[in-house]
Amino acid sequence: MDRLLYLTLCQIMLARVTDLAFTVAEEDFRCEIREWLAAHVPREPLPSMDTAEGFRAHQEWERELYDAGWAVVGWPARYGGRDASLFEWLIFEEEYWRSGAPGRVGQNGIFLFAPTLFEYGTEEQKNRILPPMARGEQIWVQGWSEPGAGSDLAALRSRAVRDERRGGWVLSGQKTWSSRGAFGHRLFGLFRTDPAAGRHRGLTYLMADLAADGVSVRPIRQLDGEPGFAEVFLDDVFVPDADVLGEPGQGWNVAMSTTGSERGLSLRSPGRFLAAADRLVALYGQVRAGTTPGRRTPDTYRDAVADAWMRAEAYRLYVFQTVTRLQEGGVVVGAESSLNKVFWSELDADLHTTAQRLLGPHAETGGPWLDGYLFALAGPIYAGTNEIQRNVIAERLLGMEREPKGGRR
Amino acid sequence: MDRLLYLTLCQIMLARVTDLAFTVAEEDFRCEIREWLAAHVPREPLPSMDTAEGFRAHQEWERELYDAGWAVVGWPARYGGRDASLFEWLIFEEEYWRSGAPGRVGQNGIFLFAPTLFEYGTEEQKNRILPPMARGEQIWVQGWSEPGAGSDLAALRSRAVRDERRGGWVLSGQKTWSSRGAFGHRLFGLFRTDPAAGRHRGLTYLMADLAADGVSVRPIRQLDGEPGFAEVFLDDVFVPDADVLGEPGQGWNVAMSTTGSERGLSLRSPGRFLAAADRLVALYGQVRAGTTPGRRTPDTYRDAVADAWMRAEAYRLYVFQTVTRLQEGGVVVGAESSLNKVFWSELDADLHTTAQRLLGPHAETGGPWLDGYLFALAGPIYAGTNEIQRNVIAERLLGMEREPKGGRR
Amino acid sequence: MRLGHDRDQQLFAASVRALLGRECMPEHARAGFSPKRWEALAGIGVPGLLVPGQYGGLGLGAGELAAVAEEAGRACAPEPVIEAAVAAALLTHAADGKDTGRAADWLRALADGGATAAVALCPAAPVAHAVHADFVLVARDDALYGMPAAAARIVPVGGVDPGRALGRIDTVVRAPGAALLLATGQGAALAEAARLGAIAAAADLLGSARAMLDLTVQYAGRREQFGRSIGTYQAVKHKLADVLTAIEFARPTVLRAAHSYDHALPSAARDAAMAKVFASDAADLAARACLQVHGAIGYTEECDLSLWLRRVWALSSAWGDAAHHRAAVADDLLGPDPAPACPPR
Amino acid sequence: MRLGHDRDQQLFAASVRALLGRECMPEHARAGFSPKRWEALAGIGVPGLLVPGQYGGLGLGAGELAAVAEEAGRACAPEPVIEAAVAAALLTHAADGKDTGRAADWLRALADGGATAAVALCPAAPVAHAVHADFVLVARDDALYGMPAAAARIVPVGGVDPGRALGRIDTVVRAPGAALLLATGQGAALAEAARLGAIAAAADLLGSARAMLDLTVQYAGRREQFGRSIGTYQAVKHKLADVLTAIEFARPTVLRAAHSYDHALPSAARDAAMAKVFASDAADLAARACLQVHGAIGYTEECDLSLWLRRVWALSSAWGDAAHHRAAVADDLLGPDPAPACPPR
C-alpha cells in the first residue's frame, strides 16, 4: 500500500478511537491562555456592563483581549482571530470563565451575529464589520423580539420599505428585549419587507445604526435594577443596501442560522457552567467551614451541589460528543440545539438556586450569587422559551405530530 | 332573648371556631372501631382479591364487617349502615387502614356506584341493590372505559337499543379496564341510547348482570401478574327498565356525580395514605436498625420520608377543611376534586417510590411494598388521568380558556 | 372538628383586604413602607393584634394573624406586620403582666401604631424592616434586649426586596451591652416567637403566591402567540394548575399551625415547621412558574409581578426556609439527624 | 479529544443489534433466558468480550461492553451480558495469567458460550441470573470464591423482572467454606468489577429507556382522544421531550466512564458513579413518563412496554442506584459525608 495512503488511513483510524485527552498542542494552548488570564484579569470585578461606566470598562477589557489575540479565538486571523479549532475554543472558554474574567459585553455580536455573517455576509461586509466587533469598538444589539412577537418570532411586524432612490430600505416599528440596547451601537434583526407574504416569508435580515436619525431607545430596568434591556423605536430609519445580510426576503432562513448558533454551542459554552459549578463546590466548603455566612445545615444540599457539578460535567461531555461528530463530517441538526438549551438553562437555574439555599438567610442581601441567580432564572426564557424548545424536541427529534392549527386568526 | 334561640346561636358560633379536636362521641367511635379491628383483622394478609380464592376471602371479610355494622358506616341504617357523619367516616377510614385490614373488594360499588344510587336511584332500586352490596354478596364492576374512550369518556360507543316489547334495553359493545371484572357480579356504566345526539348527550346510565346471556369477560393480567382488570364484551344483553339509573338520555349528568365522588372524598380517604406514611416511617427505622434488609444509606431519604408523611397529613387537613365547608352548607364544586386527585395520586407514587429506594437492592424481590408501588403508579392514570385533571383545574378553577377545537374529526 | 377561619377572622381579614385594596395598589407597594398606611392599619388594630388588652391591643392570636398576613402578602404590603406580631409576643412575655417598664411601654406604642418594631432573633443575619423601625428587639442566648432605633446604629443593607428595608444592627453585634436588657430566661418565649414568625410568613407567602398566580392567569389570557392566547396551551395551564394545587394544600397546614400555636398544643413546633415547608415550597414554585409564563416582561422592574417575586425570594427563606423546617420535622419524626449542623457561629 | 463510540464498537454493536433484532423480538424476550440465543451471542463473541485472548475471548474493554449492553437493553434481552463481563474481569484477575486452574477453565467456558455466570458481590441481596447460571462467583471481604451451580443450593426468588431469574445462594450465605477459594487480596479487583457492572448497567438502561421512548412515541401517535392523537398534546410532548433530553445527556457520561475504566484513569471510580446516576435517573424518568402516556394499557402484562418497565425497575437500583452513586460523587467532591452509612450487616 502507498505509504502516504497508509499513514492517512492510520490517522483516520486513530482519530476515531475514543480518546478523552487533549493533544499536547491543545494543552499548550490551555497553558498560554491560563497564564495570560492570571496576569490580566482585573482583581476587582468591573461594574455591571448594564451601567454606562461598566459598559465602557467592559469595552476596554474587550480591547485588551483583542490586543492579546484572545477576543475571538475561533475566527480567521484576518478578522482578528487565531483560527482556533472548536476544541481550542472550548478550552479557551473553560479557562476564561474559570479565571473569573469579566462577562463579554460584545457577546451578542460575537456569538450570535458573527456566525451568521460568516455564513451569509459578503466579503465587504465581513471586512467592514468584523474587526471593530472584535476590538470591542462596535457593540451589536439584537433586534429580534417585538411586543407581539416573542416565542412566536414569525409574528413580527416591524417593516422595511424599499427606497430605490437612495438604494436601501426605510425601517419602522419597534423592537424589544434588546440586551445592551441602552449603550450599544448597532442593531441586527429581521424586518418585514413583503407584508403580503406568509408569516415566515417576506422577511429581510438588516442592520441599523442606533445613532441614526429616527432611532430612539428606551432602557428597561431588569430585576437587578440595571437597564439590561431596551426597547428600540424605529421611525423611518434609512439603511443602505450594503447593510442587508443575505438576499432580501430570505431573512427567516438567515436568522435561523443565528438562532441555531444561539441555542447551540456558541452562546453558552460549557466553560461558563463548569466555572459556576466549581464556585458552588467552593461555596459549600466555605459555608461549612464558616468562612462565608450561610445556612447552618449546608449538608442538606450535598446532593444538590454534587448534582449541579455533575450536570455541568455532563454538558461538557455532550458538547465534546457534538464537536466530535462535527469534526468527522457528521451532520448535527439544528433541533439538537434545543436539547442543549433546555439542559444548560435548567442546570444554571438549579445551580444558582442551590447557591441561594446554601447562603440561607444571607441570600437576600445580594452579591454575585444573587446576581447570578436572577440572570439564571432568565435562561429558560430567552433565546426561545423552554416550552418552545420542548415542542421542537418532540416534533423534530422524536417526530411527533404538530398541534392542529385552530387559532382564532 | 329567647333561651332556645340563644343556645342555638351559641352553638352556631361555637361550631364556627377553628377547633381541631374531635368530640368525645367521635373519640368514642374511634375507640370502638379500633378495638373491633384489633380483634378481627386477619393476622395473615388475605390472598390477592384479584385471584378466585382471594376474591372469596375478601367477600367473607366484607360480610364480617357488615355483621358488625362496619361495612358502610355512612349509609342510613336501613340499608346496612350506621348513619355516621362525614367526620366519623373519616375516623373509620383512618382506623381501618391503620389496622392493616384487607382492601375493600366491594369498593367500586360502595364508594363509586352507591353515591350515585343515593342521588338518582328509586326507592325500589336502593332497597334491592344496596343491602347485598353492603353484605359483600354482590360485587359491582365499573363499565366506563372503552377501547376508544379513556380520558375522553364522551367518545364511548357501546350501545343500548330500546326493546319496547320486553320493556328494557339491549346492550352491545365492549367495556374495558373493569376492575374486579374477572370475578364480580354486576356492572354499572354508560351506554349510548341516541347515536344521533352529541358526544355528551344521548347516553344512559345502566346496570347489567355479568352472568346474563350475551356477556363474556376476558381477564387482563396487570403488572402484578393478577387479572385485576377485565374486558367485558356485551352481545345483545337484555336489561330491564328497572335497571336504568336516572332518566334515559341523562346518563352523562348521572355519571358525572359518580366521577365527582370518585375523585373527591370517597375513593381515596386520607386514612389510606396516613397509614402508608406511618408504615414508611417505620420502614425507615427498620432499615436503619438493620431489622429489615435495605439500603446501607437510608439517611439519604430522611427528607423524602418526612415529605411523604407531611403530604399525607396535609391531605388529611385539606379534607377536614372540605368537610367543614360541606357541613356549614358551603358549596364544594366538582372541579375541586381534581386538586384532590392530583395531590393524593402523586403523594402515593412518591411515597412508594421512597419505600422502594429505602429497600435498595432488596426492592426488586417483591412483597407488600412492591405491590403498593405498582398500584401507586396507576394512581396518576385511573379515575381520570392527571393530565385531564390539570386541564380541569386550569379551566374550571382558574378560569383559563379551553384549547381551541381543531381536531381532525 | 372544624378547620377553617372563623367568622371573626374572616371579617377581620376582609377589612384588612378592603383597606389594602384601596391603600396598597401595586404603585403604592412599590414605594415601600408608608407611615400613613401603617397608621390606617393601626386604626383597625393590625399592629396590636397580639398585644394583650391590658396594653391596648386586641389580645388575639395566630389564627387572626394568619388571616391578616395572607392579606398583606396578597397586597404586597411593605409594612412590618409579621415583626409587630412577633415583637408583641416577645414583649408580652418580657413584661410579664406588669403595667410599667420599657416592655409595657413598647407594647402600648405597638398597639396604638405609634412605633414599629424590628426583631433580630439571629444577630448575624440582616434584619427586616430595621431601617424604619422605632425600636429593635434582639435575642442573645436566652435573654431579650431592646433599644430605640436612635441608639442602635442601623446600617441599611441592599437586598433583593427593597420592601424589606433590611438593616444591619452594628451596635448589637459589636456591643450587646449597649442594649437594654428586657428579660432573661426567655428561651421558650424566643422559640415560640420564632414559630409565630414562621406561621405568619407562611400565611404571607400563600397570599403572595396567590397574587402572582392571579396576575399570571390574567396575563396568559391576554398574551397571544401563534394566533391564540398562551393560556390555552397545556404547558402553561398545567404549570399554573400545579401552583394552585400547592397553594390550596398549603393553606390548611397554616391554619392548623396557627391553631396549635394558640392552644399551645404539644405538636405546635412541628405544625409550624410543616406550614412553613408547604408555604415556602408553594411560593417558590409560584415564583418560578409565574416568571416563566410572563417571559421577558416578568423580568422587568416595571411589571407588577416583580414586586411579589422579590417578596417571595426573600420571605421564603426568612424565618427558616423549607429545608430548615423539613429537617426539623424529620428530626421530630425519625429521631435526630446523625449529621449535626455546623457549629453555631 | 474524541468522544464517541469508535468504528469497531459501532460495528460490533450493529451486529449485536441485528442478531437481537431477529432473535429477541418482544415475544422472545418475554419467554426469558434462551440457551439458543446465548449460543448465538457467543458466536459473535459477546460473553467473551472481556476475556483475554489467551483464554479464547476477544480481550476488549468497557467501551465495547457499553455499546453491546445498550443493544441488550434496547432489545430487552434476558441474557446475562453484564454478568458475563463482570465474571470475566474477576476471573482474569484471579487467574493472574495462568493457563490452568478453575479460574482459567471458567474463562474459557465463558468465552466459548459453554457456561453462564452469576456474580454475588453483595451476598445478602438476591443474585441476578443465578437460576440459570452454570457457575457462581461470590465475594467475601477481599477474597473471590466460586462454585458450580450444582453445588451452590440456588433458591429461585420472585422478582419484579422475571427476566432477571433471581436466586438466593443459600450455601454461600450460610457456609462460605463450601465454595472454592479462587483468589485472595482481590479488594481492588472487586471494586473495579463493581464499577464495570455499574457502567454496563448504565449502558443497558440507556438502551432500555430509548426503547420505551420509541414505543411510547409510536403509541402516542396512534392513540386518539378528543378527536386527535394524544401525541399532539403539549403535556405528552413535553414529558417525552424531557425523557429524550435525559437519555441524550446520559450517554456521553457512560462513554466517558467506559473510557476511564479501560485506561484505568484516576477518575475511573467517580466517572462510573456519575454514569450510573444519569442513566438510572433517565431510565426511571422514562419508565414513569412512558407508563403515564400509555395509560391503563401500559399497566397490563400483554403490552410490550411492561417488559422494559420491569427491567428498568430492577436495573436502575442494581449495581448501586442513583442515590448511592450520587453520594459517592459527593464524597469525592466535597469530602466524606459526616453522616456515616449504617454499619455493614
Side-chain angles (χ1 to χ4, degrees):
Chain A
M1 192 188 298
D2 175 281
R3 185 173 154 72
L4 189 65
L5 177 62
Y6 173 77
L7 284 177
T8 311
L9 278 177
C10 278
Q11 233 168 355
I12 292 172
M13 292 305 291
L14 276 175
R16 288 180 174 263
V17 168
T18 307
D19 175 9
L20 298 183
F22 287 108
T23 62
V24 173
E26 286 163 344
E27 291 296 351
D28 286 347
F29 177 86
R30 185 188 291 278
C31 288
E32 189 185 347
I33 172 64
R34 182 178 290 181
E35 281 166 19
W36 187 87
L37 288 164
H40 293 84
V41 169
R43 275 162 213 277
E44 287 298 308
L46 302 185
S48 162
M49 69 174 82
D50 296 328
T51 62
E53 179 201 359
F55 188 83
R56 273 193 309 275
H58 279 78
Q59 275 189 289
E60 283 162 24
W61 167 250
E62 289 289 320
R63 178 69 202 218
E64 198 175 344
L65 277 175
Y66 175 84
D67 288 341
W70 297 116
V72 286
V73 293
W75 290 12
R78 68 179 176 284
Y79 303 120
R82 53 166 77 194
D83 295 295
S85 72
L86 276 173
F87 279 124
E88 283 169 331
W89 176 70
L90 290 170
I91 290 170
F92 168 81
E93 288 278 309
E94 288 183 12
E95 294 302 322
Y96 188 85
W97 294 107
R98 188 154 290 166
S99 74
R104 303 294 302 268
V105 68
Q107 63 178 337
N108 286 356
I110 296 173
F111 297 132
L112 304 186
F113 180 40
T116 315
L117 203 58
F118 279 115
E119 195 170 342
Y120 290 95
T122 63
E123 205 50 48
E124 184 277 326
Q125 287 174 327
K126 287 189 274 189
N127 285 326
R128 171 162 54 94
I129 294 168
L130 290 170
M133 185 193 291
R135 288 192 299 268
E137 287 165 17
Q138 265 186 0
I139 301 300
W140 286 81
V141 167
Q142 57 186 345
W144 293 138
S145 299
E146 297 180 6
S151 293
D152 182 10
L153 188 56
L156 50 81
R157 292 193 287 193
S158 290
R159 293 197 308 161
V161 177
R162 183 72 197 147
D163 184 333
E164 284 295 348
R165 190 181 54 82
R166 286 188 282 179
W169 302 80
V170 176
L171 313 187
S172 56
Q174 180 185 352
K175 295 288 180 181
T176 191
W177 315 132
S178 299
S179 300
R180 250 68 67 206
F183 307 106
H185 307 101
R186 285 174 65 77
L187 175 137
F188 59 96
L190 284 185
F191 293 83
R192 197 164 287 287
T193 41
D194 179 0
R199 285 162 43 88
H200 301 81
R201 296 197 192 84
L203 298 171
T204 298
Y205 196 121
L206 286 155
M207 306 167 223
D209 201 314
L210 290 175
D213 282 350
V215 175
S216 52
V217 172
R218 185 180 79 86
I220 305 174
R221 279 190 192 282
Q222 294 181 163
L223 286 176
D224 62 6
E226 305 300 347
F229 298 136
E231 286 181 316
V232 179
F233 298 88
L234 300 136
D235 186 12
D236 290 343
V237 177
F238 178 74
V239 159
D241 280 333
D243 282 349
V244 173
L245 189 60
E247 293 301 309
Q250 293 299 310
W252 185 260
N253 296 336
V254 178
M256 283 307 101
S257 97
T258 303
T259 57
S261 358
E262 178 178 18
R263 291 193 294 258
L265 292 180
S266 61
L267 181 63
R268 292 291 176 257
S269 73
R272 184 188 278 256
F273 308 107
L274 291 168
D278 284 342
R279 282 198 299 274
L280 181 70
V281 168
L283 177 68
Y284 170 86
Q286 289 151 12
V287 169
R288 205 153 205 300
T291 52
T292 292
R295 69 182 306 117
R296 287 199 52 225
T297 51
D299 292 343
T300 304
Y301 287 94
R302 272 180 83 79
D303 279 357
V305 171
D307 256 326
W309 185 89
M310 284 192 282
R311 285 161 74 186
E313 271 289 300
Y315 182 47
R316 180 181 194 231
L317 295 169
Y318 183 83
V319 170
F320 285 169
Q321 181 181 272
T322 304
V323 172
T324 299
R325 274 167 64 204
L326 283 172
Q327 293 205 329
E328 294 177 2
V331 178
V332 174
V333 297
E336 285 180 50
S337 67
S338 294
L339 290 171
N340 264 8
K341 164 75 209 297
V342 169
F343 192 83
W344 66 247
S345 60
E346 301 202 334
L347 147 64
D348 202 35
D350 291 346
L351 187 157
H352 283 89
T353 301
T354 300
Q356 290 292 95
R357 296 283 180 263
L358 284 173
L359 292 170
H362 301 272
E364 64 168 310
T365 45
W369 282 112
L370 178 61
D371 292 345
Y373 176 65
L374 295 180
F375 186 66
L377 291 179
I381 296 170
Y382 63 75
T385 66
N386 284 11
E387 285 74 23
I388 299 298
Q389 308 293 354
R390 288 190 167 91
N391 283 352
V392 171
I393 292 168
E395 290 164 10
R396 294 188 46 204
L397 297 178
L398 291 175
M400 297 178 77
E401 205 183 325
R402 295 174 71 95
E403 276 195 274
K405 301 272 175 179
R408 286 164 301 177
R409 278 179 189 165
Chain B
M1 191 187 300
D2 176 281
R3 185 173 156 71
L4 190 65
L5 178 62
Y6 174 76
L7 284 177
T8 312
L9 279 176
C10 280
Q11 233 170 356
I12 291 173
M13 293 304 291
L14 275 175
R16 287 179 176 262
V17 168
T18 308
D19 175 10
L20 298 183
F22 288 107
T23 64
V24 173
E26 286 164 342
E27 292 295 352
D28 286 348
F29 178 87
R30 185 188 291 277
C31 288
E32 190 185 345
I33 174 64
R34 183 178 289 180
E35 280 166 20
W36 187 87
L37 288 164
H40 292 85
V41 169
R43 276 163 213 276
E44 287 296 309
L46 303 184
S48 162
M49 68 172 83
D50 296 328
T51 63
E53 178 202 1
F55 188 84
R56 273 192 309 275
H58 279 80
Q59 275 190 287
E60 283 163 23
W61 167 251
E62 290 289 320
R63 178 69 201 218
E64 198 175 341
L65 277 175
Y66 176 83
D67 289 341
W70 297 117
V72 284
V73 293
W75 291 11
R78 68 181 176 284
Y79 302 122
R82 52 166 80 193
D83 296 293
S85 71
L86 276 173
F87 280 123
E88 284 170 331
W89 176 70
L90 290 170
I91 291 168
F92 168 82
E93 288 278 309
E94 288 184 9
E95 294 301 322
Y96 188 86
W97 294 108
R98 190 155 289 167
S99 74
R104 304 294 303 269
V105 68
Q107 63 178 341
N108 286 357
I110 296 173
F111 297 130
L112 304 186
F113 180 38
T116 315
L117 204 56
F118 279 115
E119 194 170 342
Y120 290 94
T122 63
E123 206 48 48
E124 183 278 328
Q125 287 174 325
K126 288 188 272 188
N127 285 325
R128 172 163 54 94
I129 294 167
L130 291 170
M133 184 194 289
R135 288 193 298 268
E137 286 165 19
Q138 266 187 0
I139 301 299
W140 286 82
V141 166
Q142 59 186 346
W144 293 140
S145 300
E146 297 181 4
S151 292
D152 182 12
L153 189 55
L156 49 81
R157 292 194 287 194
S158 290
R159 293 197 307 160
V161 176
R162 184 70 196 150
D163 183 333
E164 283 295 346
R165 190 181 55 78
R166 288 189 281 179
W169 302 81
V170 177
L171 313 187
S172 55
Q174 180 184 352
K175 295 288 180 178
T176 191
W177 315 131
S178 300
S179 301
R180 253 66 70 205
F183 308 107
H185 306 100
R186 288 174 63 78
L187 174 137
F188 59 96
L190 283 185
F191 294 83
R192 199 164 285 285
T193 42
D194 180 0
R199 285 161 42 90
H200 301 81
R201 296 196 192 84
L203 299 170
T204 299
Y205 197 120
L206 286 155
M207 307 166 222
D209 201 315
L210 290 175
D213 283 351
V215 176
S216 51
V217 172
R218 186 180 79 87
I220 305 174
R221 279 189 193 282
Q222 295 180 166
L223 287 176
D224 63 6
E226 305 300 348
F229 298 137
E231 285 182 318
V232 179
F233 299 87
L234 300 136
D235 187 12
D236 290 342
V237 178
F238 178 74
V239 160
D241 280 334
D243 282 350
V244 174
L245 189 59
E247 294 300 309
Q250 294 299 311
W252 185 259
N253 296 336
V254 179
M256 281 307 101
S257 98
T258 302
T259 56
S261 355
E262 178 177 16
R263 291 193 295 258
L265 293 178
S266 62
L267 182 63
R268 292 289 177 260
S269 72
R272 184 188 278 254
F273 308 108
L274 292 167
D278 284 342
R279 282 199 298 276
L280 182 69
V281 168
L283 177 69
Y284 170 85
Q286 290 153 10
V287 170
R288 203 150 209 302
T291 53
T292 291
R295 69 180 307 117
R296 287 196 55 224
T297 51
D299 293 342
T300 304
Y301 288 94
R302 274 180 81 80
D303 278 357
V305 171
D307 255 328
W309 185 89
M310 285 192 282
R311 286 161 74 186
E313 272 288 301
Y315 182 46
R316 183 182 192 231
L317 295 170
Y318 183 81
V319 169
F320 285 169
Q321 180 181 271
T322 304
V323 172
T324 298
R325 274 167 62 203
L326 284 172
Q327 292 206 331
E328 294 179 2
V331 177
V332 174
V333 297
E336 287 180 48
S337 67
S338 294
L339 291 170
N340 265 8
K341 164 77 210 297
V342 169
F343 193 83
W344 68 247
S345 60
E346 301 202 333
L347 146 65
D348 203 34
D350 292 345
L351 187 159
H352 284 89
T353 301
T354 301
Q356 290 293 98
R357 297 283 180 261
L358 284 173
L359 292 169
H362 301 272
E364 63 167 311
T365 47
W369 282 113
L370 177 60
D371 292 346
Y373 176 65
L374 296 180
F375 187 65
L377 291 179
I381 297 170
Y382 63 75
T385 64
N386 285 11
E387 284 74 22
I388 298 298
Q389 308 294 353
R390 288 189 167 92
N391 283 352
V392 171
I393 292 169
E395 289 164 10
R396 293 189 46 207
L397 297 178
L398 292 175
M400 298 179 75
E401 206 182 328
R402 297 175 70 94
E403 278 194 272
K405 300 274 174 182
R408 286 165 302 181
R409 276 179 189 165
Chain C
M1 173 59 66
R2 183 185 179 284
L3 198 155
H5 284 308
D6 65 35
R7 201 190 307 214
D8 285 352
Q9 287 165 349
Q10 286 166 11
L11 290 174
F12 200 179
S15 65
V16 172
R17 187 174 197 163
L19 191 158
L20 293 177
R22 280 192 315 272
E23 309 280 327
C24 194
M25 314 274 284
E27 62 270 28
H28 308 131
R30 207 177 278 277
F33 175 74
S34 148
K36 182 167 154 284
R37 193 161 50 232
W38 188 247
E39 202 182 310
L41 286 166
I44 58 171
V46 168
L49 206 59
L50 271 87
V51 174
Q54 164 185 13
Y55 306 106
L58 295 179
L60 296 170
E64 287 75 16
L65 175 61
V68 168
E70 187 168 344
E71 296 305 329
R74 194 187 302 264
C76 213
E79 276 70 46
V81 170
I82 302 173
E83 286 69 18
V86 174
L90 288 168
L91 291 170
T92 302
H93 275 283
D96 199 22
K98 293 194 198 66
D99 265 335
T100 55
R102 187 57 74 100
D105 291 348
W106 276 337
L107 279 169
R108 277 187 288 263
L110 267 182
D112 70 15
T116 63
V119 181
L121 295 185
C122 166
V127 178
H129 300 289
V131 170
H132 52 69
D134 295 300
F135 66 91
V136 179
L137 301 179
V138 180
R140 176 63 57 105
D141 302 326
D142 72 344
L144 182 69
Y145 298 83
M147 67 188 104
R153 283 236 331 257
I154 295 166
V155 183
V157 178
V160 68
D161 179 11
R164 300 246 301 158
L166 293 178
R168 212 177 290 281
I169 305 174
D170 273 1
T171 320
V172 178
V173 175
R174 298 198 189 134
L180 187 71
L181 177 66
L182 296 174
T184 56
Q186 299 291 298
L190 290 170
E192 196 185 294
R195 287 206 286 280
L196 186 69
I199 295 167
D204 185 315
L205 287 165
L206 291 185
S208 299
R210 183 67 212 215
M212 290 194 288
L213 178 58
D214 290 344
L215 273 180
T216 307
V217 166
Q218 282 167 30
Y219 178 78
R222 231 168 34 228
R223 170 75 174 169
E224 294 202 358
Q225 290 285 273
F226 302 103
R228 47 192 256 216
S229 76
I230 64 170
T232 60
Y233 290 100
Q234 268 190 333
V236 172
K237 278 184 183 166
H238 288 197
K239 219 183 269 289
L240 299 184
D242 284 342
V243 172
L244 181 67
T245 307
I247 295 171
E248 291 302 310
F249 278 85
R251 190 173 292 105
T253 71
V254 175
L255 263 63
R256 196 260 296 263
H259 177 264
S260 300
Y261 179 94
D262 286 336
H263 295 79
L265 298 187
S267 64
R270 184 167 80 189
D271 296 341
M274 196 172 138
K276 190 61 164 49
V277 168
F278 281 101
S280 283
D281 280 349
D284 284 339
L285 183 73
R288 194 152 163 182
C290 293
L291 175 55
Q292 182 69 22
V293 171
H294 270 81
I297 205 162
Y299 205 70
T300 62
E301 286 213 325
E302 57 204 66
C303 177
D304 287 340
L305 182 71
S306 70
L307 293 170
W308 280 276
L309 288 173
R310 294 170 176 289
R311 187 181 189 90
V312 164
W313 285 331
L315 204 56
S316 88
S317 289
W319 303 99
D321 67 6
H324 171 90
H325 290 293
R326 184 178 281 112
V329 173
D331 287 352
D332 188 67
L333 204 62
L334 310 175
D337 188 352
C342 297
R345 297 186 290 268
Chain D
M1 174 60 62
R2 181 185 181 286
L3 198 155
H5 283 309
D6 64 35
R7 199 189 309 217
D8 284 353
Q9 288 165 349
Q10 285 167 10
L11 290 174
F12 201 177
S15 66
V16 172
R17 187 174 197 162
L19 190 158
L20 293 176
R22 279 191 318 272
E23 309 280 330
C24 194
M25 313 274 284
E27 62 269 27
H28 307 130
R30 207 175 278 278
F33 175 75
S34 149
K36 183 167 153 285
R37 191 162 51 233
W38 187 246
E39 202 182 308
L41 286 166
I44 57 173
V46 169
L49 205 59
L50 272 86
V51 174
Q54 165 187 13
Y55 307 108
L58 296 179
L60 295 169
E64 287 76 15
L65 176 61
V68 168
E70 186 168 345
E71 296 304 331
R74 193 187 303 265
C76 211
E79 275 70 46
V81 170
I82 302 172
E83 286 70 17
V86 174
L90 288 168
L91 291 169
T92 302
H93 275 283
D96 199 22
K98 293 195 198 66
D99 266 335
T100 56
R102 187 58 73 101
D105 292 347
W106 276 337
L107 278 168
R108 278 186 288 264
L110 266 182
D112 70 15
T116 64
V119 182
L121 296 186
C122 165
V127 178
H129 300 289
V131 169
H132 50 70
D134 294 302
F135 67 91
V136 179
L137 300 179
V138 179
R140 176 61 59 102
D141 303 327
D142 74 342
L144 182 69
Y145 298 84
M147 70 188 102
R153 282 236 333 257
I154 294 167
V155 183
V157 178
V160 67
D161 179 11
R164 300 249 297 162
L166 293 178
R168 209 175 291 282
I169 304 172
D170 274 1
T171 320
V172 177
V173 176
R174 298 201 188 130
L180 188 72
L181 178 67
L182 295 175
T184 56
Q186 299 290 298
L190 290 170
E192 193 185 297
R195 286 207 286 278
L196 186 69
I199 294 166
D204 186 314
L205 286 165
L206 290 185
S208 298
R210 182 69 212 215
M212 289 194 288
L213 178 59
D214 290 345
L215 273 179
T216 306
V217 167
Q218 283 168 30
Y219 178 76
R222 236 173 25 233
R223 171 73 174 171
E224 294 202 357
Q225 291 283 273
F226 303 101
R228 48 194 256 214
S229 76
I230 63 170
T232 59
Y233 290 100
Q234 266 190 335
V236 172
K237 277 185 184 164
H238 288 197
K239 220 183 269 292
L240 300 184
D242 284 341
V243 172
L244 181 68
T245 307
I247 295 171
E248 291 303 310
F249 279 85
R251 189 173 291 105
T253 72
V254 175
L255 263 63
R256 194 260 296 261
H259 177 263
S260 300
Y261 179 95
D262 285 336
H263 295 77
L265 299 186
S267 64
R270 183 169 79 188
D271 296 342
M274 195 171 137
K276 190 62 166 48
V277 168
F278 282 100
S280 283
D281 281 349
D284 284 338
L285 182 74
R288 196 154 164 181
C290 294
L291 175 55
Q292 183 69 23
V293 171
H294 270 78
I297 207 163
Y299 205 72
T300 63
E301 286 215 322
E302 58 205 64
C303 176
D304 286 342
L305 181 71
S306 70
L307 293 169
W308 280 275
L309 288 174
R310 295 170 175 290
R311 188 181 189 90
V312 164
W313 285 330
L315 204 56
S316 85
S317 290
W319 304 98
D321 65 7
H324 171 92
H325 288 294
R326 184 177 283 113
V329 174
D331 288 351
D332 188 67
L333 204 60
L334 310 175
D337 188 351
C342 296
R345 296 185 289 268

